[in-house]
Every structure is written in C-alpha cells, then in structure tokens.
C-alpha cells in the first residue's frame, strides 16, 4: 500500500502540479502553439511547392523535390533539428542574435514540408484527368487549371491528413528543447521536464502531457469529423465528378498509404 501511495504521489502530486501550472499555462502552452502554427504555415507553403515541383514534367524540378522529400522524411526529426539548430546558429546570430527559437521553427517547418508535400501530391494525383481536360476545354491554361481546379479539389480530399500532420507538429515541438531555449521560450515539455528534474517528482511532466492531450485529442476528433463529412459529400461546393470510375476518399487513403505519407 505504501508503495502504491509513493507511486501515486510521484506522478499525481497535486502540490507539484499546482506549482508547475502557471508556467505551463502562461509560457509553455503559448510557445507550443506558436511553434506548431508557425512551422505549420511554413511547412504548408513549402509542401505545396514541393508537390507542384514533384509533379512537374521537368526533371530539374522533379528530382530535387524527390531528393529533399526522401532525405527529410528519412532522417529522425531530432537529428534534423540539431543539424539546423547548430549548423545555422552562426547565420542566425547574424540575423536575430542568440535566439534559437526561429531556428526551431525553421527546422520543424522544413520537416513538415517534406510530409505535407507528399500529402498534397497524393491529393492532386487523386483528381481524375477528366477534370483537367474539362478545365482546358473551358479555356483555362495549364497553370490556371492546376491552380483553380485541381489543387482546390486535391486539398479538400487530404484535409484529414493535413490535420493529422498538424497534430504531429504539436508533438514534435517538444524536440526543440535540444536547442537550449531561453526561460521565456520553453514549451510544455521543457517546463515539465525542468520541474521534474528540480523536484524529483514527475507530476509536472504528467501535467504537461495532459496539456498535449487536451490539444491533440480534440483535433483527432476534428479529423474524424472532417473525414466523415467528406465521405458523406456534405459541406462542400465542389461538384462531384460524373465519372463513375473516379476515385473516392478511400482511394485517396490508399494513395496516401502507398506513398508512405500517412502519419502513424
């Protein structure tokens, strides 16, 4: 019984949780969201460029995009973050001073771009060729057909995968602690880890984990709601294709799995 009480107090000590709560709420949570949102925007822009380049008929665009995607997806996230955070530190010092925060956002954004690029590419490839032919028949140029007809439909089909990638970014933001953030830049994991190291009690780290769950679990349900809504064909102003052989969302999921872009 004493062992159980000791175990409980090690992970669920209310006093230790209350002591860490202000820093988690006012410093850790905002920084975690800033890291995830900023790197998500960077990764989305980069991912779209990689998807378009990867689908290009020109090898000098397609091959670099393929190499970038393979390398960034093949390396562990911690290795990429350390390489960018340490390797670009002198360059960052010249621009914004001794602040590793922007380098952390850059590293997370570059990693996310590789995954999001594959998600976009799979979504674009899932659009039937008849859509392009119809757009060209209406007088759209090739680039306009891609920008105004194909890409919007492709993005709509991969919305659940994009939200999943954002959830992964929230969790990966904890790896930025490798770069040695300032006290005001610490994210949820670093604050929980520091409190646990200082007190020898893991309750603050457990509380940090609960914060992550409070963010990611609702987003997971959002993913499921979006996926269900898309399968039922509601909530969109994009016309459904007339071709009976056109791929549906299950086809997109298969493409994602085949391309290895589906998140664990």
């Amino acid at each position: 019984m004493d062992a159980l009480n000791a175990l409980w107090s090690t992970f669920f000590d209310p006093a230790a949780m209350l002591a860490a709560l202000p820093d988690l709420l006012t410093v850790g949570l905002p920084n975690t969201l800033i890291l995830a949102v900023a790197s998500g925007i960077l990764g989305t822009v980069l991912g779209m460029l990689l998807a378009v380049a990867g689908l290009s008929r020109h090898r000098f665009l397609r091959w670099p995009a393929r190499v970038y995607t393979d390398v960034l997806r093949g390396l562990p996230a911690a290795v990429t973050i350390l390489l960018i955070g340490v390797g670009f530190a002198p360059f960052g010092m010249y621009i914004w001073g001794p602040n590793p925060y922007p380098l952390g956002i850059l590293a997370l954004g570059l990693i996310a771009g590789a995954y999001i690029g594959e998600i976009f590419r799979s979504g674009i490839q899932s659009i039937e060729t008849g859509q392009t032919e119809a757009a060209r028949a209406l007088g759209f140029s090739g680039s306009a057909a891609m920008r105004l007809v194909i890409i919007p439909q492709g993005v709509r089909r991969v919305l659940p995968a994009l939200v999943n990638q954002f959830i992964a970014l929230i969790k990966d933001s904890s790896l930025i602690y490798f770069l040695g953030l300032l006290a005001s830049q610490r994210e949820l994991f670093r604050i929980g880890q520091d409190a646990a190291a200082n007190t020898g009690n893991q309750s603050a780290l457990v509380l940090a984990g609960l914060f992550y769950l409070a963010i990611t679990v609702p987003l997971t349900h959002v993913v499921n709601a979006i996926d269900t809504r898309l399968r039922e064909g509601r909530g969109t102003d994009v016309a459904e294709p007339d071709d009976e052989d056109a791929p549906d969302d299950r086809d997109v999921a298969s493409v994602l799995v085949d391309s290895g872009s589906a998140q664990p």
Side-chain angles (χ1 to χ4, degrees):
M1 196 62 179
D2 290 341
L4 286 177
N5 290 334
L7 188 64
W8 179 264
S9 63
T10 298
F11 291 100
F12 300 100
D13 182 6
M17 288 185 173
L18 286 175
L21 182 60
D23 282 345
L24 288 171
L25 202 56
T26 60
V27 179
L29 182 60
N31 281 325
T32 296
L33 294 178
I34 289 172
L35 284 168
V37 172
S39 58
I41 293 173
L42 176 61
T44 300
V45 174
L46 177 61
M48 182 56 73
L49 294 176
L50 287 170
V52 173
L55 294 171
S56 172
R57 287 176 292 182
H58 302 291
R59 286 180 295 181
F60 65 88
L61 289 177
R62 193 171 64 251
W63 287 3
R66 188 71 259 165
V67 170
Y68 176 91
T69 301
D70 288 344
V71 171
L72 268 292
R73 292 180 67 200
L75 288 174
V79 172
T80 303
I81 290 170
L82 276 177
L83 287 175
I84 293 174
V86 176
F88 285 83
F91 185 68
M93 285 279 291
Y94 182 75
I95 298 178
W96 50 68
N99 184 358
Y101 203 77
L103 287 176
I105 293 175
L106 176 64
L108 286 175
L110 293 179
I111 295 169
Y115 286 96
I116 294 175
E118 286 297 278
I119 292 172
F120 279 147
R121 184 178 64 82
S122 300
I124 293 171
Q125 285 182 319
S126 73
I127 303 301
E128 55 279 2
T129 56
Q131 295 286 315
T132 303
E133 295 168 355
R136 296 303 299 271
L138 291 173
F140 287 85
S141 65
S143 60
M146 177 65 75
R147 187 176 70 256
L148 300 175
V149 178
I150 304 303
I151 289 179
Q153 293 186 72
V155 170
R156 183 182 70 87
R157 289 188 176 184
V158 297
L159 274 179
L162 287 176
V163 179
N164 268 333
Q165 182 58 43
F166 184 69
I167 292 173
L169 267 177
I170 293 173
K171 293 184 288 186
D172 286 348
S173 67
S174 63
L175 298 174
I176 299 301
Y177 89 95
F178 286 128
L179 303 183
L181 299 174
L182 304 175
S184 60
Q185 299 170 334
R186 293 177 302 169
E187 31 65 50
L188 288 171
F189 170 72
R190 181 58 188 270
I191 291 177
Q193 185 196 39
D194 286 349
N198 291 333
T199 63
N201 189 290
Q202 305 301 314
S203 300
L205 200 53
V206 171
L207 184 59
L210 293 177
F211 270 91
Y212 282 110
L213 291 176
I215 301 171
T216 58
V217 170
L219 282 177
T220 301
H221 288 284
V222 168
V223 172
N224 295 334
I226 292 174
D227 187 55
T228 301
R229 196 175 184 83
L230 291 177
R231 288 179 186 278
E232 293 176 353
R234 294 187 284 111
T236 175
D237 55 359
V238 179
E240 290 296 329
D242 295 331
D243 188 350
E244 293 181 354
D245 294 328
D248 57 16
D249 291 339
R250 285 169 295 184
D251 299 321
V252 178
S254 300
V255 173
L256 291 173
V257 171
D258 292 341
S259 66
S261 62
Q263 296 302 300

